[in-house]
Amino acid sequence: MADKFHRYDVQVVWTGNEGTGTSSYRGYSRSHVIQAKGKPPINGSSDPSFRGDPTRWNPEELLLASLSACHKLWYLGLCAEAGIVIVAYLDNPQGTMVEQSDGAGQFT
């Protein structure tokens, strides 16, 4: 069987220029919009700890949601192929990011 390639195209548009661009760390908003053709936009920002808007999705939340959704779809597919009927599914993923003293970060 030949390999299959699946291409995904999105656009992330920074909407946080408050008139002076990134002239200072506190001088701009972290707001952005994630877009893909034919789909509703997703309003994003950084985590509030990094001067982000708490009413918008942050990359860490989107990472958790993506991993959870991927796992759910894989699991449901396996169940369907095995003849196991699933009638509901709920996941409450949690993640922890460690911000290191040098400014680097990682999920643990």
Side-chain angles (χ1 to χ4, degrees), residues 6-77:
H6 304 273
R7 180 181 169 133
Y8 304 94
D9 294 303
V10 299
Q11 184 180 60
V12 179
V13 181
W14 175 52
T15 58
N17 183 352
E18 296 180 344
T20 60
T22 59
S23 61
S24 73
Y25 185 76
R26 296 182 181 276
Y28 63 96
S29 167
R30 277 53 176 177
S31 296
H32 56 269
V33 177
I34 302 167
Q35 306 174 137
K37 187 175 181 177
K39 297 180 182 182
I42 298 171
N43 291 323
S45 188
S46 62
D47 181 280
S49 298
F50 306 104
R51 304 190 49 77
D53 181 343
T55 67
R56 292 173 167 248
W57 288 90
N58 67 55
E60 295 80 11
E61 292 167 329
L62 292 171
L63 175 63
L64 286 176
S66 178
L67 292 170
S68 176
C70 187
H71 180 265
K72 173 201 45 103
L73 294 168
W74 172 76
Y75 175 74
L76 294 177

